[in-house]
Amino acid sequence: IQDTSGEKLLTINIMRPAQEQLAVTEADFRPAEYVTLCSIGSDDELAMCALGTKPGSHEWECHVYQGENELFGYIVEEQGVFAKGVNRDSQFALLSYPHSERMLWVKGKIQERKVHVFSHRKDVTAYVEPGTGLGEPDTHYTLTCLPDANVGLVVLLLLGIDRIHSQIGRAHV
């Protein structure tokens, strides 16, 4: 992740555990993928998303952790259904753990990369537009954060939504 001048701000890593590791994880939630957000110049993990199937379902969910193991919250879809060939407004939220209070929420057209990010006070804190200049326009997006935005949480929420969205229509673990 870079700022407007091209300076790197954060590093993102995506990891998938081996199948034998999945068998020994918590029975209620089976992470199939981990996305970490790290600071530049250090291996310090700022936050992590653990993504996997919901118990008894093929639908993915996202658990958000601070550091390596402190559960911080969940990313959930609040409205909108991704139907084949249909791009509807969708709404996702980052809910706190254990109180399920909305910390941030996103509303817009996920597939078109046109969304707004709102704070818990319902103020626009960031917005996303299709990216330009780094290859195909539908492979990335441009995030603009407004003053006082919690950039780390905004990025983590968008990463979680992107990874959940990437699993729609695929075979699940």
Side-chain angles (χ1 to χ4, degrees), residues 77-157:
E77 185 175 14
E78 294 185 318
Q79 88 180 32
V81 176
F82 291 109
K84 290 183 181 178
V86 176
N87 186 19
R88 303 172 139 178
D89 273 1
S90 294
Q91 186 169 306
F92 286 82
L94 173 59
L95 304 178
S96 67
Y97 174 82
H99 304 294
S100 296
E101 294 173 358
R102 225 191 218 184
M103 292 184 279
L104 291 173
W105 54 286
V106 170
K107 185 169 184 162
K109 296 189 181 306
I110 303 296
Q111 291 173 319
E112 293 180 13
R113 290 177 165 73
K114 294 179 183 176
V115 300
H116 286 85
V117 181
F118 299 88
S119 71
H120 67 282
R121 295 181 307 272
K122 301 182 182 176
D123 300 325
V124 173
T125 191
Y127 57 93
V128 174
E129 300 171 303
T132 58
L134 296 174
E136 299 297 319
D138 64 347
T139 61
H140 65 284
Y141 42 85
T142 299
L143 168 66
T144 302
C145 291
L146 302 177
D148 299 325
N150 185 327
V151 176
L153 282 182
V154 169
V155 167
L156 201 63
L157 174 58

